[in-house]
Amino acid sequence: DAKTTQPPSMDCAEGRAANLPCNHSTISGNEYVYWYRQIHSQGPQYIIHGLKNNETNEMASLIITEDRKSSTLILPHATLRDTAVYYCIVIDGGSQGNLIFGKGTKLSVKP
Amino acid sequence: NAGVTQTPKFRVLKTGQSMTLLCAQDMNHEYMYWYRQDPGMGLRLIHYSVGEGTTAKGEVPDGYNVSRLKKQNFLLGLESAAPSQTSVYFCASSYQGGYTFGSGTRLTVV
């Protein structure tokens, strides 16, 4: 079973920041938080990952709470092309763990 | 780089027929995976491989077989297709936790 809990759907206005929450209250010390997204029926696409510190790349920012029990993916300026299902996944960084997908959050970016 | 390439992209099978789905990656990744995705669901792991010549079962392995004869290729076989195997199949490869997925194979069993 997936170790994460995400809202099933969210809406965001184009140009605004999209903040996608994820709860992972049972995360262990060596588990990373990964975010992937799936646009329509394409293969999932890697977005970002982190362990303890906040992370930022060209696609998004990842904010992890100090107790690591939850995190937020931030798309700073959402576009219509960001409409997708977003998956939050925890995986053991010490071994080559298998991604276990939940149902994710369906983000709809509206004009 | 092509990344992860899956063939074919679409296929319709009759119940009882067999087929092989091919996954090829050009990133020299050790780990490869086969997932299936049913409507409205997340991806579920069928089989995976941690290196050439090795395979292991995932969450939903029944009805499927796999082979990893070459590092760059991971084959998924259906010996006797059933309508319950109608799904979209995704292959992936990974290195240090970063996964790259193929574009999928849409399989319909009638």
Side-chain angles (χ1 to χ4, degrees):
Chain A
D1 290 344
K3 297 182 180 181
T4 62
T5 304
Q6 300 176 251
S9 64
M10 294 183 63
D11 290 341
C12 178
E14 189 178 19
R16 304 296 294 270
N19 297 281
L20 289 84
C22 179
N23 287 323
H24 31 80
S25 58
T26 62
I27 193 170
S28 61
N30 59 343
E31 287 183 319
Y32 287 72
V33 179
Y34 276 77
W35 283 84
Y36 284 78
R37 72 179 182 183
Q38 189 174 25
I39 297 173
H40 194 46
S41 298
Q42 300 176 21
Q45 174 190 25
Y46 166 81
I47 302 173
I48 197 168
H49 74 282
L51 181 63
K52 296 180 181 179
N53 300 321
N54 298 337
E55 301 288 343
T56 296
N57 63 20
E58 66 277 4
M59 291 182 66
S61 294
L62 174 61
I63 308 298
I64 303 174
T65 58
E66 190 169 347
D67 63 7
R68 303 213 318 127
K69 292 184 177 182
S70 66
S71 60
T72 301
L73 178 74
I74 301 173
L75 308 178
H77 306 286
T79 70
L80 299 179
R81 289 176 295 179
D82 291 322
T83 292
V85 178
Y86 287 77
Y87 296 99
C88 169
I89 302 168
V90 296
I91 183 169
D92 189 339
S95 63
Q96 190 68 32
N98 300 318
L99 293 182
I100 299 176
F101 288 81
K103 293 188 177 181
T105 296
K106 168 68 174 176
L107 175 68
S108 298
V109 181
K110 301 181 182 299
Chain B
N1 285 342
V4 176
T5 303
Q6 292 183 232
T7 54
K9 295 189 183 304
F10 302 93
R11 185 72 184 269
V12 178
L13 283 180
K14 293 183 178 179
T15 297
Q17 286 185 319
S18 64
M19 79 162 294
T20 300
L21 282 66
L22 172 64
C23 177
Q25 53 99 0
D26 60 3
M27 297 168 287
N28 203 35
H29 288 171
E30 289 290 340
Y31 291 76
M32 297 187 73
Y33 312 81
W34 275 106
Y35 288 86
R36 62 175 287 175
Q37 185 174 33
D38 300 314
M41 303 287 290
L43 281 72
R44 292 184 293 169
L45 183 66
I46 305 171
H47 285 281
Y48 65 100
S49 168
V50 301
E52 182 179 318
T54 71
T55 63
K57 294 180 179 180
E59 179 187 358
V60 288
D62 294 342
Y64 305 95
N65 57 75
V66 288
S67 64
R68 184 96 180 270
L69 299 180
K70 293 183 179 180
K71 185 177 183 178
Q72 63 268 34
N73 296 335
F74 195 29
L75 279 62
L76 178 71
L78 285 74
E79 292 184 346
S80 179
S84 60
Q85 294 177 304
T86 293
S87 190
V88 180
Y89 292 84
F90 289 101
C91 175
S93 68
S94 71
Y95 174 71
Q96 292 186 344
Y99 281 61
T100 300
F101 284 83
S103 58
T105 296
R106 187 174 297 275
L107 175 66
T108 302
V109 182
V110 297

